Amino acid sequence: MFNTIKYLLILIVIFNSKYYSQGIINNGASIVFSGAAHIYIDGGTNGDYLSQAGGIVNPSATGNIWMEGDWTNNSANTGFFSDNGTVNLNGANQTINGTNSTTFYNLTLLGSGVKTQNLNTNVGGVVTTNGVLSVGNVIYNLNSFLLTITNPVAAAVTYGTGYVLSETNVAVNPSIMRWNMGTNTGAHVFPFGVAGSQIPFTFNKTTVGASNINVSTRATAASDNLPWAGASNVGGVTFFYCPNNLMSGNPCATNSVIDRWWDITPSAAVTANCTFSYRGIENTLNAPYNTGNIGAQWWDGSFWNLNNATTGSAPAVSAGVGAVTAVGLTQFCPYVLSSVTIPLPIELINFAATCDGENNVKLNWSTATEKNGSHFDIMNSKDGFTFNKINSVIAKGNSSAINNYAITIENKKNLGNYFQLKMIDNNLTFKNSKTVYVSDDCNLNEETPNLFYNQQNGIVVISSSKDATSYTLNIIDAAGRLIRTESLPINEGYNNIVIPTELATGVYLVNLYYNNGKLVSKKIPIY
């Protein structure tokens, strides 16, 4: 049965002792703590606390309430008379309820299961605001409500293996964590997570201007990042950033974006360095965007803004948890992580130069994929800095197979020793290759062999060798078993060797041994 406090004011003064109850109904009373007093509200499903008719708790600085049941505040107040004490939720699957929001001073989450708030809730205190939210090792579900941290310091929120759940998959996510940072600076960690993975968001405030920061995050149900963000303080998203169509037109989120949204809304102007975390399974980037870095992009109500060029980026992960840090952010609201560069339609995998002994230079190169490629300009330089066009080769245009090109440059003695490729697409977008060097006496500049895999062709070995020799290629399966070995004859000069795989579906390790035991390794997927 519940112990019912029936009078207008009951003073409980407990000196270093414990008070046990199978549930408390505080019917208009004031529960006062003295010293290191503790109340244990246990008793399984009946271990609840209900405050009504103006009921209030007046804790001491070291007082504790330990609860196995739910917290309900139906009084027309914040639940506490002073900013003191700690409420410990140490049961299983507990809730915070009521007709009026509770402002906890210290709230510590213990026990097991999920702690769920069923109305807006505050932690940190009302006046002194020095209290702490300790998430511990459990899940705190915002459940479409607002959690406000009133303590402005970065240490106001701690966590272990647990996390705050903000996953409400609607256009404007109502599961918001607000941190009243005031003029405080420093790295404030919002310990978000989902499905057993911690994906914290860090707002490292670098300006002292007073500001409250609202943050929510959610994954999307599908790989096209739908529903698009409605945004909390700007117009909703109307199209999606796409590297290939200059940020306008039809969406291409399936190819170029991590399937997660962040809504970040400061109450006043602020500058911050932000770290965005996401699960690898939310990475549905497809070729050609899955080979480069991703960066933070924000929507201003009309257009996408590409912060990554100056703020930073990181390689995307497809397993575990990945993170991207963007520095110097001053504009906020819906953010995504997307491909940071406009990928060229030509993916170059090798470029080499050899001599024929007659002052002629043979240039060889290979591409892994081509889309709307136009041509290659052959560039030459005497100093390695200033290049001039000396010839052109037409590109294949569109292909997902490996394509090999070659051109002979005659009478090298009238040219410089440095060569480059300028790869140009149909829109005249271009990118330069690495520079290769050919000595005056045509000695070959030998490099590490290139090892690639292409689904249509198989394993490809590209090498420039000073002498005729042989390499050894081993293929090892996921269990560590050597299932195939090849001896590859290598000619003097340029070599391009294709080894058909004909392997079962799976992931394999390919080891290439060259030059007396040197090793190049690559993992390849067969599907």
Side-chain angles (χ1 to χ4, degrees), residues 326-504:
V327 300
L329 301 185
T330 58
Q331 301 293 329
F332 298 93
C333 208
Y335 265 86
V336 294
L337 300 178
S338 61
S339 178
V340 301
T341 58
I342 301 175
L344 286 172
I346 298 174
E347 181 186 354
L348 186 72
I349 58 175
N350 186 73
F351 177 46
T354 55
C355 295
D356 65 1
E358 300 293 335
N359 287 319
N360 299 323
V361 176
K362 187 174 184 180
L363 300 176
N364 296 87
W365 65 97
S366 302
T367 62
T369 58
E370 296 186 26
K371 183 179 179 182
N372 298 324
S374 174
H375 62 281
F376 303 88
D377 282 347
I378 313 301
M379 312 297 291
N380 180 258
S381 173
K382 294 183 178 181
D383 59 10
F385 296 99
T386 303
F387 285 84
N388 298 304
K389 176 183 172 181
I390 59 173
N391 213 325
S392 289
V393 174
I394 300 299
K396 298 292 183 182
N398 292 284
S399 173
S400 58
I402 291 178
N403 294 299
N404 300 311
Y405 296 86
I407 185 173
T408 298
I409 308 299
E410 298 181 351
N411 201 11
K412 173 200 167 294
K413 64 182 179 180
N414 294 328
L415 300 172
N417 294 350
Y418 301 90
F419 293 88
Q420 265 187 359
L421 286 178
K422 178 180 282 188
M423 300 168 282
I424 304 172
D425 65 21
N426 290 330
N427 295 321
L428 301 183
T429 301
F430 70 89
K431 183 177 182 180
N432 294 325
S433 73
K434 69 176 183 178
T435 300
V436 295
Y437 175 81
V438 178
S439 64
D440 288 332
D441 57 3
C442 268
N443 285 330
L444 182 66
N445 185 19
E446 192 171 73
E447 297 180 346
T448 301
N450 289 321
L451 180 63
F452 299 97
Y453 171 71
N454 179 275
Q455 188 177 0
Q456 292 190 26
N457 300 84
I459 299 170
V460 181
V461 176
I462 299 175
S463 172
S464 297
S465 179
K466 293 181 179 180
D467 304 299
T469 183
S470 64
Y471 297 164
T472 299
L473 184 140
N474 292 336
I475 302 177
I476 301 168
D477 68 10
R481 297 170 296 196
L482 176 65
I483 61 171
R484 184 171 167 184
T485 186
E486 297 272 352
S487 179
L488 308 180
I490 301 298
N491 300 318
E492 178 184 355
Y494 182 81
N495 297 265
N496 188 317
I497 303 173
V498 178
I499 303 100
T501 54
E502 299 176 355
L503 297 170

Side-chain angles (χ1 to χ4, degrees), residues 119-364:
L119 78 169
N120 296 341
T121 302
N122 310 309
V123 179
V126 177
V127 178
T128 58
T129 61
N130 295 318
V132 174
L133 170 65
S134 300
V135 177
N137 301 322
V138 299
I139 299 170
Y140 189 89
N141 185 7
L142 299 182
N143 192 31
S144 299
F145 291 100
L146 173 69
L147 169 64
T148 299
I149 306 300
T150 62
N151 185 347
V153 303
V157 178
T158 66
Y159 65 105
T161 59
Y163 53 81
V164 174
L165 186 64
S166 173
E167 306 287 316
T168 304
N169 194 20
V170 295
V172 180
N173 185 356
S175 297
I176 298 168
M177 185 172 171
R178 171 184 293 166
W179 206 321
N180 295 345
M181 298 181 189
T183 59
N184 283 58
T185 58
H188 294 69
V189 180
F190 294 70
F192 293 127
V194 61
S197 296
Q198 293 178 321
I199 49 170
F201 170 80
T202 301
F203 193 91
N204 189 349
K205 189 166 171 278
T206 58
T207 53
V208 297
S211 187
N212 303 330
I213 312 299
N214 287 6
V215 183
S216 66
T217 185
R218 62 178 173 91
T220 58
S223 61
D224 54 1
N225 225 0
L226 291 174
W228 289 345
S232 59
N233 66 340
V234 297
V237 174
T238 57
F239 68 89
F240 214 94
Y241 165 78
C242 182
N244 266 359
N245 64 12
L246 302 179
M247 300 170 291
S248 64
N250 294 325
C252 66
T254 300
N255 294 328
S256 67
V257 73
I258 300 296
D259 293 319
R260 174 164 291 277
W261 291 96
W262 290 265
D263 192 339
I264 308 162
T265 311
S267 62
V270 66
T271 302
N273 305 329
C274 295
T275 299
F276 303 80
S277 302
Y278 63 95
R279 296 177 297 163
I281 60 172
E282 295 161 6
N283 175 5
T284 53
L285 274 66
N286 294 329
Y289 309 108
N290 57 348
T291 58
N293 283 9
I294 57 174
Q297 325 290 343
W298 63 278
W299 171 259
D300 65 6
S302 301
F303 298 99
W304 285 101
N305 295 266
L306 308 184
N307 282 308
N308 57 273
T310 57
T311 62
S313 61
V317 304
S318 57
V321 173
V324 173
T325 297
V327 300
L329 301 185
T330 58
Q331 301 293 329
F332 298 93
C333 208
Y335 265 86
V336 294
L337 300 178
S338 61
S339 178
V340 301
T341 58
I342 301 175
L344 286 172
I346 298 174
E347 181 186 354
L348 186 72
I349 58 175
N350 186 73
F351 177 46
T354 55
C355 295
D356 65 1
E358 300 293 335
N359 287 319
N360 299 323
V361 176
K362 187 174 184 180
L363 300 176
N364 296 87

